Amino acid sequence: MKKADIDAFYADRVSLDRQKYIVLEYYLETLIEPREAAAHLCQEMSTAQWSRVGVDEDFRPEFGAKVVELTVLDDQARPSSPYLVSTMGSTAERVARVNVTIWYPYHNFGTKIPNLLTVVCGEGVFHAPNICAIRLVDIDFPESFLADFQGPQFGVAGLRDMLGVYDRPLLFGVIKPNVGLPPEPFAQLGFEAWSGGLDIAKDDEQLGDVDWSSVEERSRRLGALRKRAEELTGEKKIYLCNITDEVDRLLELHDIAVKNGANAVMVNGMTTGFSAVRMLRKHAQVPIVSHFDLMGPFIQLPWFGVKDQVFTKIQRMAGFDVLIYPGFDHRLKTSKEDVLANAKACLQPMGSLKPTLPVPAGSQWAGSLQPLYETLGSVDFGIVPGRAVFGHPQGPRGGAASLRQGWEAVEKGIDLKEYSWTHRELQQAIEMHTS
């Protein structure tokens, strides 16, 4: 690549109109000189060939992606991704590791999520010449871009208004057994958990509209018992019904669930597609909750794929009111820094979009509340245990009660074990967790 052609894909950020560009942060490993590799990346993801043969024209000034910052981390390291190097027909010992900031003119594709992802995660990025590993680390949108998105309909404040809960984390629970249980006993478990203090009883992400547990029957039974639990406890409750399905059924299943008393719906956004969620948001009457299915293959390698906070921001734009994402748990392979970064992406200012409630997941119980509260520095989060509620020795009532007691200990500044001496449900939860 000639020097003039490389230079055409570089710019000083002060020369660019921020409102016309999305900002992309990539980590990459390259077999060639880093400055040329970054220019190749911009070329592949934007103009590719920038003029017609025999015509004096150049589309790069208006349509070309621009490198505004490039930092070489190491140009002597062996690659983090040797198998990728080998598939490129090279056994290079020297691979440059680079952080690069690219400003991309979004008028190339418009304010459309499928087209956005085609550009920032597509062929031009992950098959760029001589780049043997690449990861999209972050993405930032100008106000002009965000203005076309509705974002959450309810958000954190709307969800709290529904429940009348303002001073503590929200307590979700995944009804267990999650797959195989007919709607009648399944609904009874939800009722027991609500009665013990759970705010939101939810379907598992694997439980959709199936012959042995249809959305129609499940939502009807749980909707009725939700109202009964509200009468019994004097508290508002939410039944979160999973309507994940083929795209052409989402609106129908939403309507069935809501008609029957489900007052929130869950959609596995990565599997149905964010554009489908954006469509549902325009129709929805209740909060929409995301589960992180299909995210693992993208986020778990530090040198390849997409960092989860990118998906968090896009899901907030699409209209999710609640985001369930990988939290503290060794099996979910998530760091404290990632948990915090995702929470910030849910809650921090983002144009006029309402905040999304962050719900870090992963084998949680009453003892999860303190570390999450300390990490996030806010009560604006949720936890979503399964077995800690529904496998509790006293059943779902006892499991839900243990969560309430766990938060009481945090509020009062009392050690969890000490507080359990006078709270049997919490004591048994600790015994479960340590056995």
Side-chain angles (χ1 to χ4, degrees):
M1 201 171 182
K2 296 178 181 177
K3 183 180 184 303
D5 291 332
I6 293 173
D7 291 344
F9 289 106
Y10 281 76
D12 187 330
R13 70 184 66 204
V14 299
S15 69
L16 304 175
D17 182 350
R18 178 67 183 90
Q19 292 304 312
K20 295 181 179 179
Y21 292 82
I22 60 173
V23 178
L24 307 167
E25 304 284 347
Y26 288 99
Y27 164 84
L28 61 89
E29 297 177 9
T30 176
L31 308 177
I32 61 174
E33 194 275 322
R35 199 168 188 275
E36 181 178 357
H40 267 302
L41 176 59
C42 287
Q43 176 186 346
E44 292 296 319
M45 71 190 301
S46 59
T47 57
Q49 183 175 325
W50 52 84
S51 65
R52 291 167 289 178
V53 175
V55 180
D56 184 14
E57 61 188 1
D58 190 342
F59 294 111
R60 290 173 296 183
E62 183 178 355
F63 296 94
K66 304 291 185 181
V67 177
V68 301
E69 187 174 345
L70 185 147
T71 303
V72 178
L73 305 173
D74 187 347
D75 65 354
Q76 296 181 338
R78 293 178 66 86
S80 300
S81 49
Y83 80 93
L84 284 175
V85 174
S86 67
T87 62
M88 297 174 71
S90 171
T91 56
E93 294 293 325
R94 296 171 65 90
V95 176
R97 298 166 54 247
V98 177
N99 285 336
V100 59
T101 301
I102 294 173
W103 285 35
Y104 192 99
Y106 73 82
H107 71 77
N108 286 14
F109 57 83
T111 53
K112 305 162 188 174
I113 294 177
N115 306 75
L116 164 69
L117 291 174
T118 298
V119 166
V120 303
C121 301
E123 174 190 347
V125 171
F126 284 89
H127 299 276
N130 294 304
I131 293 177
C132 55
I134 189 164
R135 191 182 199 203
L136 176 56
V137 176
D138 203 358
I139 187 168
D140 191 49
F141 302 97
E143 297 269 352
S144 57
F145 186 90
L146 294 171
D148 272 4
F149 291 84
Q150 290 180 299
Q153 181 176 181
F154 295 82
V156 175
L159 202 66
R160 288 195 176 283
D161 286 342
M162 285 180 66
L163 291 165
V165 175
Y166 301 97
D167 57 355
R168 62 169 173 80
L170 300 186
L171 307 178
F172 294 66
V174 188
I175 299 175
K176 305 280 185 177
N178 54 326
V179 174
L181 196 63
E184 185 174 5
F186 188 88
Q188 188 61 38
L189 289 174
F191 173 74
E192 294 294 326
W194 283 319
S195 300
L198 199 70
D199 298 312
I200 302 167
K202 68 178 286 292
D203 294 340
D204 185 75
E205 77 276 6
Q206 298 181 57
L207 179 60
D209 183 46
V210 287
D211 292 342
W212 48 269
S213 183
S214 67
V215 165
E216 170 69 58
E217 184 179 359
R218 199 166 69 244
S219 61
R220 177 168 49 81
R221 290 185 179 277
L222 277 149
L225 288 178
R226 173 184 66 81
K227 294 172 185 176
R228 185 175 156 196
E230 290 177 341
E231 293 171 359
L232 176 69
T233 62
E235 300 174 345
K236 294 297 183 181
K237 304 293 180 181
I238 289 177
Y239 165 51
L240 176 53
C241 182
N242 183 15
I243 63 168
T244 301
D245 209 297
E246 299 291 348
V247 173
D248 60 3
R249 295 205 67 219
L250 289 179
L251 303 189
E252 172 195 358
L253 290 175
H254 164 277
D255 291 349
I256 290 170
V258 172
K259 170 181 64 87
N260 287 343
N263 47 355
V265 294
M266 186 171 78
V267 179
N268 302 337
M270 293 284 290
T271 58
T272 57
F274 299 142
S275 186
V277 175
R278 194 178 182 188
M279 173 195 71
L280 176 63
R281 162 65 177 88
K282 296 173 183 177
H283 176 83
Q285 302 169 31
V286 297
I288 309 173
V289 178
S290 170
H291 195 279
F292 57 93
D293 303 88
L294 197 62
M295 195 174 287
F298 294 90
I299 70 173
Q300 290 186 353
L301 296 178
W303 42 266
F304 188 81
V306 181
K307 196 150 177 63
D308 38 359
Q309 67 189 25
V310 172
F311 291 132
T312 295
K313 293 178 180 180
I314 294 174
Q315 289 182 93
R316 183 174 169 188
M317 284 163 37
F320 280 113
D321 298 281
V322 177
L323 196 67
I324 301 173
Y325 66 89
F328 298 131
D329 187 24
H330 70 278
R331 69 183 178 87
L332 297 180
K333 307 175 182 69
T334 311
S335 68
K336 179 178 179 179
E337 291 72 24
D338 284 341
V339 171
L340 181 57
N342 278 295
K344 286 182 176 178
C346 285
L347 297 171
Q348 68 191 5
M350 192 173 173
S352 61
L353 304 184
K354 294 177 181 176
T356 293
L357 183 77
V359 182
S363 301
Q364 294 167 329
W365 65 295
S368 304
L369 288 159
Q370 178 81 41
L372 274 171
Y373 177 57
E374 291 176 352
T375 297
L376 304 182
S378 168
V379 296
D380 284 335
F381 69 92
I383 64 169
V384 58
R387 292 178 184 86
V389 173
F390 296 93
H392 191 277
Q394 294 187 37
R397 282 183 190 250
S402 75
L403 299 182
R404 287 286 189 99
Q405 293 162 8
W407 180 250
E408 289 167 9
V410 175
E411 278 188 310
K412 295 175 180 179
I414 301 174
D415 177 77
L416 195 70
K417 190 170 183 180
E418 180 183 342
Y419 197 69
S420 74
W421 295 342
T422 54
H423 296 83
R424 179 60 176 158
E425 295 89 349
L426 181 58
Q427 185 179 61
Q428 290 182 315
I430 293 174
E431 291 168 358
M432 277 182 65
H433 185 72
T434 56
S435 63

